[in-house]
Amino acid sequence: MKKILITGGAGYIGSKIVSDLINKNYKVFIVDNLSTGSKFLINKKAIFYKCNIGNTNQINKILKKNKIESIIHCAASLDVGESERNPEKYFRNNYLNTVKLLEVCCRNNLKNFIFSSTCAVYGNVKGLVTEETKTNPTSVYGKTKLKCEKSIKFFSNKYNFNYGILRYFNVA
């Protein structure tokens, strides 16, 4: 059975991904600290760990115990307004914790990594946006997500794993 870890699996996007993967017969593991996620959204067929992705010891144990090679990373602080009022929180939660997650994953033979990013990496763009559109984030939130994207590319190049980056414009 294919195994996959979803960070932020008790959030809006993460819980939908969990549900879809379970319906496709994946064995799903969720890591969420429940700071913004909800216990109500945790799928009963998934294995849940209440954990912050920055807790490298606990993440290491989860990856080793379950032999996880694929991760969909949805965990993040995501309020643009709050990011402007508390940039340190967003730098720590979004960027530094993603780097910590990547470091632990690479020590555990990561094969696949999908990152839940945002259209905020483009900034205030008018007109059509394509994947070739220049990134120019204006919010702290967008800047931390773009830093994560760059780190994922760096780690993938160094440790040879597959990655995908999803820049959502509207998830509903």
Side-chain angles (χ1 to χ4, degrees):
M1 180 178 269
K2 297 177 190 174
K3 297 187 239 180
I4 192 161
L5 174 72
I6 313 298
T7 69
Y12 180 73
I13 295 171
S15 64
K16 174 62 175 141
I17 293 169
V18 167
S19 178
D20 290 346
L21 290 170
I22 286 172
N23 289 339
K24 298 266 186 203
N25 294 317
Y26 281 81
K27 184 165 185 175
V28 178
F29 302 85
I30 298 170
V31 167
D32 199 302
N33 66 8
L34 298 178
S35 63
T36 58
S38 170
K39 287 183 183 179
F40 176 76
L41 293 175
I42 299 170
N43 192 304
K44 305 273 186 268
K45 294 180 181 177
I47 297 171
F48 174 70
Y49 295 95
K50 185 176 180 189
C51 174
N52 187 300
I53 62 166
N55 184 335
T56 56
N57 289 332
Q58 193 170 0
I59 295 294
N60 188 54
K61 288 176 188 173
I62 293 166
L63 296 176
K64 281 189 185 309
K65 176 183 177 184
N66 300 296
K67 297 178 176 63
I68 294 169
E69 296 179 336
S70 298
I71 294 178
I72 300 176
H73 177 33
C74 299
S77 296
L78 47 82
D79 183 308
V80 173
E82 181 189 38
S83 78
E84 298 305 309
R85 294 186 302 276
N86 194 351
E88 297 84 15
K89 173 185 176 182
Y90 279 70
F91 182 77
R92 181 181 62 253
N93 287 348
N94 292 357
Y95 174 65
L96 291 180
N97 282 346
T98 295
V99 169
K100 288 179 182 181
L101 176 65
L102 286 164
E103 289 171 345
V104 172
C105 290
C106 291
R107 289 195 306 265
N108 284 280
N109 302 314
L110 176 69
K111 300 281 188 260
N112 304 295
F113 193 91
I114 297 174
F115 180 59
S116 181
S117 191
T118 175
C119 66
V121 300
Y122 295 114
N124 298 320
V125 176
K126 297 197 183 345
L128 181 67
V129 175
T130 70
E131 290 193 18
E132 287 76 37
T133 300
K134 184 178 184 286
T135 55
N136 186 27
T138 56
S139 67
V140 171
Y141 169 67
K143 290 173 184 174
T144 62
K145 287 293 204 166
L146 185 58
K147 285 180 74 67
C148 290
E149 290 184 16
K150 290 177 180 179
S151 294
I152 292 162
K153 292 173 185 176
F154 171 81
F155 276 86
S156 172
N157 192 36
K158 185 173 180 179
Y159 294 98
N160 196 31
F161 61 84
N162 302 310
Y163 71 90
I165 295 171
L166 307 173
R167 293 176 175 167
Y168 309 112
F169 281 79
N170 188 347
V171 297

